[in-house]
Every structure is written in structure tokens, then in C-alpha cells.
Amino acid sequence: MRATLMKKLRSFRRDEEGVTLVEYGIALVLAVVVGTSTLGLLAGDVTGQMDAACNVMNTTGTVGTGGC
């Protein structure tokens, strides 16, 4: 039993397929976190720009009765 367990442990240590899978998983999680954070930060800027454009259109009378 012990010999079989030791043999399996040695084969796991030599096998690098699992390591590659873990690396891809970490890279994917990192990309999702960075992408989500970036979109969250940009959302506030876009909202501010849209509000500013709406205010300009309202003051110049270019917006109809529907508003922005």
C-alpha cells in the first residue's frame, strides 16, 4: 500500500500538466479581476461625460421634449 502511494506521489511530482492548468487558471482569474476593475472605473467617467453632454444640450436647446 505504501509503495503504491509513494509511486503515485512521484508520478504527480514529475507530471507538469496540472501545473500548467493551474497557471492558466490563475491567469484567467487575474484577467477577469483586472477587466472588471477597469470597466468599473471607466463606468463613472462615461456616466460623467454623458451627463455633461446632456447638460450642454439642455442649455443650448438642442434636446427635444424627450430629454436625454
Side-chain angles (χ1 to χ4, degrees):
M1 174 80 172
R2 184 170 187 230
T4 305
L5 182 60
M6 292 303 287
K7 187 177 177 182
K8 285 283 187 190
L9 286 174
R10 279 190 217 112
S11 71
F12 283 138
R13 199 178 327 159
R14 280 184 259 138
D15 185 19
E16 293 186 11
E17 248 179 63
V19 174
T20 303
L21 184 63
V22 170
E23 289 170 353
Y24 280 125
I26 290 170
L28 179 64
V29 167
L30 182 63
V32 168
V33 167
V34 168
T36 303
S37 300
T38 302
L39 288 176
L41 291 173
L42 289 176
D45 292 339
V46 170
T47 300
Q49 292 294 324
M50 294 298 284
D51 288 342
C54 183
N55 290 336
V56 168
M57 289 189 287
N58 281 334
T59 57
T60 60
T62 56
V63 177
T65 57
C68 292

